[in-house]
Amino acid sequence: MYDIQQIRADFPILGRTVYGKPLVYLDNGATTQKPRQVVEAITNEYYNTNANVHRGVHFLSQQATELHEASRETVRKFINARSTAEIVFTRGTTESINLLAATFCQSQMQEGDEVIVSTMEHHSNIVPWQLQAMQRGIRLRVISMDDAGNLLTDEYERLFSPRTKLVSIAHVSNVLGTVNPVRQMIATAHAHGVPVLVDGAQSIPHMPVDVQELDADFYVFSGHKVYGPTGVGVLYGKEAWLDKLPPYQGGGEMIQHVSFERTTFNELPFKFEAGTPDYIGTTGLARALDYVSALGMDNIAAYEHELTEYALQRLEEIPGMRIFGQAKERGGVISFLVGHIHHFDMGTLLDRLGIAVRTGHHCAQPLMTRLGIEGTVRASFGLYNTREEVDALVAGIERVSKMF
Ligand code: PLP
């Protein structure tokens, strides 16, 4: 079923060398590589079907529109949304959260109202709310975590007040790998009558996600982290919620009728999609979702789980190894430091061995402050990584450690 060599053959970049060494790509949390199926679909559309969508009567425009709307259906099915009206295409997770922060705060929040986030959020789930705090005087409440990287759910319950209007949390931490209990957290929020936005940037590529089963009010993710192209992403929102929100940007596509006296807006989801959408990107995203669906999200999750367990076990054997993130439920993201070796030095030297890892604060500075560190080295796995690559990482770290 899961033929790793066949899978790897779909990703030409994995065959290249870096500094004369075979590439070991372990920076999938930042972005994933693209299979031929995605790149060829993009090229094919540019070569054969390119025309602007939704506006032409001509053949090509209709074909491009059909492809674009079929991609919306592919996304709907992938996350099991009720309707394509609930699938808004954006530039990515960051734009999805900014869209929601702006429109939700504008229409649903007053000065002094509160949004609950967690210590382990990516900056893109902190700063958009802070911008709203500056403009509208809303406030952020923050769920703490224990040293293993589990959110404190008792404390979470105590953060709710009559001023709480939204909870916005990551499904999976991009630093600790923690898989947050979003289903229960959503149920808790709903018991207080509060909707929940889930940042799925690090979950969508690695596990099956069913937005109806989670009962998420909003769910966001990026195409490029799930083997699709850059510059395209998704905001899922329950129709009842999206209906309540005002448009985000003005322009073509998002209107029904424009006059200087009065403009009316388009129906969902187009109300939120001003201007020419990245219709080629949505095709690429749909082919990427087809690709992972063909492998099976359960199979990918099981494969990556086993690989992560192996990596954790091997890494823990290294003297001086400190792994950040020991939650029981964790994904294939491993943040670490070794002895007193600076994360940047470790990353740079691993790179000379052909091993691509991420170093730094990973856009989660409040989390770094909580951990009392400035940054980590982060290895993050994708569906094509292997035990041999984990072994190469371990050997690389041991070699660098000896140099210090
Ligand atoms: N949220 C999380 C948890 C992430 O890991 C990332 C990217 O690393 C983002 C949001 C932002 O994603 P993007 O840069 O694709 O908008």
Side-chain angles (χ1 to χ4, degrees):
M1 273 278 276
Y2 204 91
D3 183 340
I4 192 70
Q5 289 316 324
Q6 201 183 325
I7 290 169
R8 288 179 69 84
D10 287 333
F11 294 81
I13 202 170
L14 298 179
R16 68 162 290 175
T17 54
V18 171
Y19 303 116
K21 308 275 189 323
L23 169 68
V24 175
Y25 186 77
L26 300 177
D27 194 17
N28 296 284
T31 200
T32 51
Q33 302 303 344
K34 320 304 169 198
R36 282 179 206 285
Q37 290 83 339
V38 167
V39 180
E40 282 167 8
I42 291 170
T43 310
N44 183 47
E45 188 165 354
Y46 273 125
Y47 280 165
N48 296 305
T49 322
N50 180 50
N52 208 333
V53 293
H54 295 146
R55 13 188 120 168
V57 289
H58 61 80
F59 183 84
L60 276 188
S61 174
Q62 286 185 10
Q63 248 192 355
T65 304
E66 275 165 28
L67 263 176
H68 180 59
E69 291 308 319
S71 301
R72 205 186 298 277
E73 168 59 16
T74 302
V75 173
R76 184 206 66 73
K77 216 166 133 209
F78 189 73
I79 59 171
N80 193 31
R82 275 174 210 84
S83 121
T84 50
E86 299 180 320
I87 307 297
V88 177
F89 285 124
T90 64
R91 283 197 304 120
T93 305
T94 302
E95 189 176 60
S96 297
I97 299 176
N98 275 276
L99 186 165
L100 198 81
T103 59
F104 191 91
C105 294
Q106 182 191 329
S107 61
Q108 310 295 317
M109 293 184 74
Q110 311 283 336
E111 190 177 338
D113 282 347
E114 295 169 352
V115 175
I116 297 177
V117 297
S118 87
T119 315
M120 63 177 80
E121 298 310 318
H122 188 279
H123 293 164
S124 62
N125 195 21
I126 299 173
V127 185
W129 307 110
Q130 288 177 326
L131 294 178
Q132 293 304 315
M134 289 193 296
Q135 280 176 29
R136 296 179 215 281
I138 67 151
R139 289 202 298 246
L140 276 186
R141 306 294 307 272
V142 184
I143 317 164
S144 315
M145 64 173 208
D146 64 19
D147 291 339
N150 299 295
L151 290 182
L152 301 181
T153 39
D154 290 354
E155 183 189 297
Y156 167 59
E157 297 216 17
R158 287 198 294 275
L159 288 178
F160 284 89
S161 80
R163 304 306 304 256
T164 311
K165 291 293 181 306
L166 187 74
V167 173
S168 190
I169 39 162
H171 197 161
V172 175
S173 159
N174 67 313
V175 177
L176 306 168
T178 308
V179 180
N180 288 315
V182 289
R183 199 160 176 272
Q184 293 95 296
M185 292 176 81
I186 290 169
T188 302
H190 287 174
H192 289 87
V194 174
V196 180
L197 161 64
V198 180
D199 171 356
Q202 298 293 344
S203 47
I204 281 284
H206 305 293
M207 59 178 75
V209 169
D210 180 330
V211 290
Q212 291 193 62
E213 198 255 336
L214 290 174
D215 205 15
D217 301 279
F218 305 99
Y219 200 100
V220 300
F221 63 95
S222 299
H224 70 98
K225 291 190 199 282
V226 60
Y227 312 98
T230 51
V232 66
V234 171
L235 162 66
Y236 157 80
K238 284 182 183 165
E239 204 167 338
W241 272 115
L242 292 181
D243 264 335
K244 284 188 202 158
L245 305 180
Y248 177 48
Q249 294 180 328
E253 286 298 310
M254 52 75 72
I255 52 86
Q256 204 168 48
H257 180 78
V258 177
S259 73
F260 283 111
E261 289 70 40
R262 184 166 174 271
T263 290
T264 52
F265 304 122
N266 206 340
E267 61 192 19
L268 290 176
F270 310 108
K271 179 173 85 173
F272 295 109
E273 295 181 350
T276 299
D278 185 355
Y279 54 87
I280 308 268
T282 58
T283 297
L285 172 59
R287 294 298 78 76
L289 298 183
D290 286 346
Y291 186 87
V292 292
S293 299
L295 288 177
M297 289 311 298
D298 281 318
N299 296 332
I300 292 170
Y303 178 81
E304 291 182 359
H305 178 74
E306 209 205 317
L307 189 66
T308 306
E309 289 295 303
Y310 177 68
L312 285 168
Q313 179 207 320
R314 293 272 355 248
L315 288 168
E316 273 160 7
E317 289 164 9
I318 298 173
M321 172 61 68
R322 274 194 298 162
I323 291 174
F324 299 90
Q326 305 276 5
K328 262 191 246 109
E329 289 286 327
R330 62 153 19 262
V333 175
I334 306 179
S335 278
F336 61 89
L337 288 171
V338 184
H340 296 292
I341 305 171
H342 195 275
H343 50 86
F344 182 74
D345 293 335
M346 177 64 82
T348 308
L349 291 167
L350 287 175
D351 179 50
R352 302 305 292 201
L353 302 171
I355 303 166
V357 290
R358 183 87 158 187
T359 66
H361 55 62
H362 315 295
C363 298
Q365 282 181 322
L367 175 58
M368 295 299 128
T369 304
R370 164 66 180 81
L371 296 169
I373 54 179
E374 278 179 17
T376 71
V377 185
R378 182 186 74 180
S380 52
F381 303 120
L383 57 83
Y384 37 58
N385 289 122
T386 62
R387 283 185 173 226
E388 290 70 34
E389 288 179 311
V390 171
D391 294 340
L393 172 69
V394 172
I397 295 169
E398 282 170 342
R399 188 161 158 193
V400 173
S401 297
K402 282 202 190 96
M403 290 168 64
F404 282 79

